[in-house]
Amino acid sequence: MKHCDVTVVGGGPVGSVTALSLAEAGLHVRLFEKRPVLGSQERATTFHPPTLELLEPLGLTEPLVRAGLVCDEYQYRDAELGRVAVLSYDVLDGLTPYPFRLQVEQSVLTGLARDRLAAHPRIDLHLGVEVDAVAQEADRVEVTAGGETHTSRWLVGADGSHSLVRERCGVDFTGRTYPERYLVVSTSLPLHDIFGDLSMVNYVAGSPDWHVLLRNPAGWRMLFPLRPDHEISDADRPGEALRHMRSLCPSATAQDIQHVTVYEVHRKVAGTFRTGRVALVGDAAHVNNPLGGMGMNSGLHDGLLLVDPLVRVVGGSADVDVLDEWAARRREVALNFVGKETDDNWSRVRESSPEQRAEVRRAWRELEADADARRAYLRRASMLDSLEVVSG
Ligand SMILES: Cc1cc2nc3c(=O)[nH]c(=O)nc-3n(C[C@H](O)[C@H](O)[C@H](O)COP(=O)(O)OP(=O)(O)OC[C@H]3O[C@@H](n4cnc5c(N)ncnc54)[C@H](O)[C@@H]3O)c2cc1C
């Protein structure tokens, strides 16, 4: 492809879907992904209603829903007391065509996008090619990758939390790091049979033993906090995972572990989401606590909501002001919606004093009983409100 309107750096869920959407809208797009295949990473498993709405015009929602588990309620539990409250999504009927939380691995979305990208006439796909330099001129952006220089009119940085694009553009990335790291275990244990009363998504409060139990098509995922001073080597991870699993299911064995990872958790936002001819989206622009499943979702919103203003700017029917509006709104959502909601989820689940935990339980039971309050809460938890902020 000689002519290129937009270079996208990074083929995670956000870069892949943004590239596809830009190409479907008529632009010529070049996508660089340093890994040899798209969709090899497993982190996000939750898709919220507005994301499913935004993916619909690309034809991705229907196959995604078919591959996933429709979760029309979720549960708040206490590590000692068991089930506290179940929040049903029925109160979102009429507000969205998808009144549920879809549980499916992010690799399913990236896989669906990959098949479309590979066959697309306006996509130039470079897999296994790392971008190592970015430079801007008045009328173009240049990237160096695989020893060659490639030119386009615009660039989208979707290269994750350690973004080279962000760093090379001199954009700061500030915020905080959470005190605990998270141990995430994928397991073949049939937790639904073992506990008998779980929903597909369960936040379990406790101090210090809070945890999250999530069901996916491939099995269950368990998330536990690790104390900040608790160093574990890669070799110790399975043993650590087993110790945590046995605190819930004493009969668990090493064979029940499918995969273990340990994550540092940050709440950080880029100083700007647009600098000159470069836009930042997804984890390159913001990272947050995974409790609530909003990181990838809001990254997909960044990318998909960028398409219309960028197409108009490239086509000459709009001024770059529309990109500044996009950048300011998305940054506002990252700072004051996603960052806040996920932080609140974290505070609630790890509340330490018995009085505060009793207060949190009371609040959840009220939400369960009061449909109006639950609707207001689930509009935020399912990110419907964040999209309204963006659409103005
Ligand atoms: C335990 C855990 C659970 C989570 N669960 C959820 C959830 O349920 N729902 C949710 O919404 N979010 C969740 N998240 C967050 C979510 O995983 C991320 O927000 C999401 O993966 C970000 O996607 P991205 O495409 O922006 O970045 P990434 O997924 O990091 O992709 C960036 C891509 O860029 C490539 N790349 C990097 N540098 C270069 C370069 N120089 N040249 C070429 N390619 C490059 C990388 O190889 C990578 O493929 C979770 C996170 C964690 C840690």
Side-chain angles (χ1 to χ4, degrees):
M1 183 192 294
K2 287 226 159 32
H3 167 76
C4 177
D5 296 306
V6 185
T7 297
V8 177
V9 183
V14 175
S16 308
V17 168
T18 304
L20 178 63
S21 185
L22 287 166
E24 288 282 286
L27 300 191
H28 289 82
V29 181
R30 189 181 287 128
L31 172 62
F32 291 101
E33 166 55 49
K34 67 180 178 186
R35 294 170 193 264
V37 285
L38 291 179
S40 57
Q41 285 198 304
E42 292 300 3
R43 278 186 282 161
T45 53
T46 289
F47 289 78
H48 290 298
T51 312
L52 298 173
E53 289 182 43
L54 284 168
L55 291 171
E56 213 178 55
L58 293 172
L60 296 173
T61 303
E62 198 264 331
L64 198 63
V65 172
R66 223 177 328 118
L69 300 174
V70 169
C71 167
D72 55 11
E73 62 172 40
Y74 69 84
Q75 205 176 116
Y76 190 80
R77 300 174 70 88
D78 185 277
E80 286 149 26
L81 305 174
R83 185 200 283 226
V84 173
V86 178
L87 301 194
S88 165
Y89 276 78
D90 57 359
V91 288
L92 296 188
D93 284 350
L95 296 180
T96 168
Y98 307 102
F100 51 80
R101 180 174 165 154
L102 186 73
Q103 288 298 113
V104 66
E105 294 81 1
Q106 69 177 53
S107 60
V108 174
L109 175 67
T110 322
L112 289 166
R114 174 186 60 214
D115 297 344
R116 299 272 300 282
L117 290 166
H120 206 290
R122 284 185 294 279
I123 297 264
D124 187 11
L125 187 56
H126 296 257
L127 295 181
V129 182
E130 181 166 1
V131 169
D132 45 40
V134 177
Q136 293 202 52
E137 302 294 338
D139 60 344
R140 65 186 188 281
V141 187
E142 290 179 353
V143 300
T144 310
E148 288 180 25
T149 300
H150 303 262
T151 303
S152 58
R153 296 172 70 187
W154 293 88
L155 184 141
V156 176
D159 49 342
S161 59
H162 300 289
S163 173
L164 170 120
V165 173
R166 187 186 65 231
E167 187 246 310
R168 292 298 158 92
C169 291
V171 176
D172 60 13
F173 197 49
T174 53
R176 62 183 277 227
T177 298
Y178 284 82
E180 310 118 339
R181 284 164 304 143
Y182 291 169
L183 175 79
V184 180
V185 189
S186 300
T187 177
S188 52
L189 281 172
L191 295 185
H192 45 288
D193 291 336
I194 294 170
F195 284 91
D197 63 350
L198 293 179
S199 301
M200 287 184 201
V201 174
N202 308 270
Y203 295 101
V204 188
S207 179
D209 307 317
W210 65 266
H211 53 277
V212 181
L213 304 176
L214 294 169
R215 191 168 182 180
N216 306 313
W220 283 89
R221 184 186 274 190
M222 309 164 93
L223 183 153
F224 303 98
L226 289 177
R227 287 194 322 271
D229 55 350
H230 186 82
E231 284 305 324
I232 55 167
S233 67
D234 288 357
D236 292 338
R237 285 182 185 184
E240 186 67 22
L242 194 54
R243 198 176 67 71
H244 278 85
M245 288 162 76
R246 283 189 174 150
S247 69
L248 305 183
C249 313
S251 62
T253 68
Q255 283 67 47
D256 297 319
I257 301 174
Q258 293 168 328
H259 190 250
V260 187
T261 6
V262 174
Y263 293 96
E264 264 206 332
V265 187
H266 310 275
R267 177 180 175 180
K268 292 186 178 175
V269 177
T272 179
F273 285 18
R274 175 192 164 228
T275 170
R277 293 182 165 270
V278 174
L280 297 172
V281 295
D283 277 16
H286 49 87
V287 289
N288 57 270
N289 199 306
L291 298 188
M294 293 190 176
M296 175 196 65
N297 281 272
S298 59
L300 290 168
H301 302 176
D302 297 338
L304 291 167
L305 292 167
L306 173 65
V307 172
D308 177 63
L310 192 51
V311 166
R312 287 195 285 138
V313 169
V314 170
S317 67
D319 197 70
V320 289
D321 291 355
V322 295
L323 295 176
D324 286 332
E325 275 167 37
W326 166 86
R329 285 180 178 179
R330 292 312 304 164
R331 188 163 182 276
E332 171 70 15
V333 168
L335 274 173
N336 296 325
F337 186 93
V338 173
K340 181 182 176 311
E341 290 295 322
T342 53
D343 207 48
D344 287 351
N345 290 339
W346 173 73
S347 305
R348 277 192 289 262
V349 81
R350 72 195 289 275
E351 207 61 84
S352 57
S353 82
E355 298 76 25
Q356 284 166 326
R357 275 170 70 179
E359 179 55 29
V360 171
R361 287 198 298 277
R362 190 195 55 72
W364 283 109
R365 288 189 180 116
E366 264 179 35
L367 283 181
E368 183 183 44
D370 180 338
D372 289 337
R374 189 162 80 248
R375 184 176 302 108
Y377 173 79
L378 284 177
R379 284 176 61 109
R380 295 199 308 279
S382 66
M383 302 186 77
L384 285 164
D385 279 356
S386 87
L387 206 65
E388 280 185 9
V389 171
V390 175
S391 340

